[in-house]
Amino acid sequence: MYFFLAILSISDTCYTVTIIPRMLSDLLNPYHTIAFRDCVVQIFFYLTFGINNCFLLMVMGYDCYVAICNPLRYSVIMGKKSCVHLAAGSLEIGIGMAIVQVTSVFSLPFCDGFVIPHFFCDVRPLLKLACTDTTINEIINLVVSVCVLILPMGVVFISYIVIISTILKIASAEGRKKAFATCASHLTVVVIHYGCTAIIYLKPKSQSLLGQDRLISVTYTLITPLLNPLVYSLRNKEVKDALRRAIWQKPLTS
């Protein structure tokens, strides 16, 4: 669990770094512009780490499933080599999907002097600025979104159905409480991350409102990565115990 949390924190950091510095700079300059090359780089890394996060959360759901449903085989199934392969596979999928999306979007002709109606380069706002029909690109975006969101959400959903049915079979109330506590943090992050992202990328184009989309984008690009460390820390007994010791057991100085 801690290995995947470390990878998720690194991915979240890279994810926000691609957006926040540029966004803060733009807020200070009312006539800000972004070069075509910079837009390509931003959207590539944003998609790479965003998709990586989706699959990391799926892997962490599988990790919870193995820990609760197959505890005696956990160290065999989730060995160091398996964890590295799962984390590397999530990143590879992110890079591959990002390349597909970037190639699809930036192969389109754009009108001169266009203004991106967003605070960062994203797929849907850029498609609206194309000077040609974008039906094929919309289909590609939908297929990628389904692969990145629906499939991982399905795996997590099935994992938690099995997890909950297993927890309910535990005889002791303390055991059930401990098992639920193991998954509560992950489930909280999953609902926020997948929920906000699905609203943006899976709803019909006709129902897309720029103001609403920007507000939801702030949630999953800025607020969710900020909440992740808090959620996992405050709901983790070991972290809370370590924090309590650090605060209350400091050596006295004369």
Side-chain angles (χ1 to χ4, degrees):
M1 181 182 70
Y2 291 109
F3 171 77
F4 289 122
L5 281 176
I7 299 297
L8 181 65
S9 65
I10 294 170
S11 181
D12 271 342
T13 302
C14 297
Y15 179 65
T16 53
V17 163
T18 62
I19 297 172
I20 292 180
R22 181 81 199 193
M23 182 191 73
L24 294 176
S25 173
D26 290 346
L27 289 174
L28 297 174
N29 181 7
Y31 303 104
H32 49 269
T33 60
I34 184 168
F36 185 85
R37 178 188 59 192
D38 294 341
C39 189
V40 174
V41 171
Q42 185 183 62
I43 195 172
F44 172 77
F45 284 107
Y46 158 73
L47 290 172
T48 295
F49 293 110
I51 295 170
N52 181 48
N53 285 356
C54 290
F55 283 92
L56 275 178
L57 290 173
M58 180 190 74
V59 169
M60 292 170 74
Y62 176 71
D63 180 67
C64 288
Y65 159 76
V66 177
I68 293 174
C69 301
N70 294 284
L72 299 180
R73 298 184 60 209
Y74 180 81
S75 59
V76 176
I77 297 174
M78 299 301 293
K80 184 181 292 186
K81 191 173 182 180
S82 299
C83 291
V84 171
H85 285 167
L86 288 170
S90 299
L91 182 59
E92 288 172 3
I93 292 172
I95 293 172
M97 294 289 190
I99 290 173
V100 171
Q101 285 281 59
V102 169
T103 303
S104 169
V105 171
F106 290 100
S107 62
L108 295 170
F110 293 101
C111 303
D112 294 333
F114 60 86
V115 177
I116 302 173
H118 216 319
F119 60 92
F120 67 96
C121 290
D122 198 2
V123 176
R124 280 201 163 183
L126 287 171
L127 289 179
K128 291 180 179 179
L129 301 176
C131 297
T132 186
D133 181 57
T134 60
T135 303
I136 295 177
N137 306 84
E138 294 283 351
I139 293 173
I140 293 173
N141 181 51
L142 179 61
V143 171
V144 171
S145 299
V146 168
C147 293
V148 169
L149 295 171
I150 300 300
L151 294 182
M153 278 195 294
V155 172
V156 171
F157 180 70
I158 293 170
S159 297
Y160 272 100
I161 289 177
V162 180
I163 287 170
I164 292 171
S165 65
T166 302
I167 290 175
L168 294 176
K169 295 176 184 176
I170 298 175
S172 87
E174 185 63 28
R176 290 195 297 271
K177 182 179 178 182
K178 185 177 179 180
F180 273 121
T182 302
C183 303
S185 302
H186 176 257
L187 193 57
T188 302
V189 173
V190 162
V191 169
I192 296 172
H193 182 82
Y194 284 135
C196 293
T197 311
I199 291 173
I200 291 291
Y201 291 102
L202 293 180
K203 69 180 179 180
K205 184 179 178 181
S206 59
Q207 297 180 12
S208 181
L209 300 175
L210 290 177
Q212 185 184 70
D213 289 353
R214 282 195 292 264
L215 181 60
I216 298 173
S217 296
V218 170
T219 302
Y220 73 81
T221 57
L222 305 180
I223 298 176
T224 302
L226 179 65
L227 289 177
N228 284 354
L230 297 176
V231 170
Y232 279 107
S233 298
L234 296 177
R235 296 198 61 88
N236 188 294
K237 185 177 183 298
E238 294 174 357
V239 174
K240 287 191 289 187
D241 289 344
L243 184 62
R244 194 176 294 114
R245 288 194 300 270
I247 293 174
W248 297 109
Q249 297 183 7
K250 289 183 178 179
L252 295 175
T253 57
S254 56

